[in-house]
Amino acid sequence: MKFAKNLYSIKSVVRVISVIILLISGNNVIAQNDEQKIPIVYLESFLGGYTGENGGLLWGGELNYQFSKNLLSLRYSKINDISVSSVVLIPVSNTNAFADEIAVLYGRRKINDGHSLSISLGPSFTIYASNSLNDLERERIRAFGAAFETNIKWFKKQKRNPFGFSYGIKLSGNVSKNYYFGLSFMLGIGWHKLYN
């Protein structure tokens, strides 16, 4: 029950921060109407693996807003511990251990023709949950930390419709009580550069 309340509070924080980012983006659109420029706003999802105290599957989503070369991001990451079955030698999800992470990141993003490179850092809040094999003992750890990431992505640089897709690689992690480092493939959608 406590975990459900914590998850609900995390979702509330995500909604509030999303509204703030969208309001900032909306104000930028109004300010740039004279120049007829579309702001740089895009969503991305990512999937990959992580290592640290444990190892396993890393996935999540991110909302990004860029002004000048500054990049604001709201990131949700989910990690699931995975073990390798000794019988069939395939990865098996271990649902007894997982973590939910929310991070607000600030960074710099450089656009060069049809690709971009960014690096970001910011505070994070993580709820790590671990159950014993008999599910009698449950451990919940709530921790603040320092989240980071660097991304390289590619997108179509010249097109009639500036709204489009991107793809790339994300190196991300979190330095906290339960640290991790991950490498993911990402797909994005939105406005990835300034278009006239």
Side-chain angles (χ1 to χ4, degrees):
M1 194 64 168
K2 287 183 180 179
F3 180 72
K5 288 181 181 177
N6 288 330
L7 192 57
Y8 177 76
S9 65
I10 288 176
K11 288 180 180 178
S12 299
V13 170
V14 169
R15 288 184 187 131
V16 169
I17 294 174
S18 297
V19 168
I20 291 170
I21 291 175
L22 290 174
L23 286 175
I24 292 171
S25 172
N27 288 337
N28 194 35
V29 171
I30 292 169
Q32 291 182 349
N33 272 344
D34 294 337
E35 299 176 9
Q36 296 296 315
K37 289 183 179 177
I38 297 170
I40 301 174
V41 180
Y42 55 94
L43 289 168
E44 58 190 29
S45 60
F46 54 91
L47 175 65
Y50 77 94
T51 186
E53 293 184 10
N54 297 302
L57 182 67
L58 167 66
W59 58 276
E62 188 168 307
L63 173 63
N64 299 281
Y65 170 69
Q66 181 178 345
F67 57 99
S68 184
K69 291 185 179 180
N70 302 294
L71 182 64
L72 293 176
S73 305
L74 176 63
R75 184 180 83 193
Y76 168 76
S77 301
K78 176 88 171 183
I79 61 174
N80 289 92
D81 288 357
I82 290 182
S83 58
V84 177
S85 172
S86 60
V87 178
V88 288
L89 296 175
I90 59 169
V92 178
S93 178
N94 176 5
T95 57
N96 288 329
F98 59 90
D100 293 286
E101 174 202 272
I102 297 291
V104 179
L105 306 169
Y106 168 78
R108 302 283 284 177
R109 180 170 181 252
K110 183 178 180 182
I111 300 169
N112 187 10
D113 291 329
H115 71 276
S116 68
L117 179 65
S118 66
I119 184 166
S120 301
L121 177 70
S124 67
F125 177 70
T126 304
I127 298 176
Y128 179 80
S130 178
N131 298 336
S132 64
L133 293 177
N134 57 15
D135 286 333
L136 296 177
E137 296 179 13
R138 296 186 178 182
E139 181 184 19
R140 298 283 187 267
I141 298 173
R142 295 166 190 84
F144 289 96
F148 62 89
E149 68 176 52
T150 183
N151 301 294
I152 183 166
K153 61 171 63 82
W154 292 267
F155 50 87
K156 192 171 181 181
K157 61 180 180 178
Q158 293 179 346
K159 51 189 165 184
R160 292 181 182 177
N161 182 1
F163 186 82
F165 295 94
S166 66
Y167 63 92
I169 297 171
K170 179 189 295 290
L171 175 65
S172 62
N174 192 348
V175 179
S176 67
K177 189 169 184 178
N178 291 287
Y179 69 91
Y180 75 88
F181 303 94
L183 183 63
S184 308
F185 176 76
M186 62 184 169
L187 289 172
I189 187 168
W191 295 272
H192 299 96
K193 60 173 282 186
L194 287 176
Y195 296 92
N196 294 324

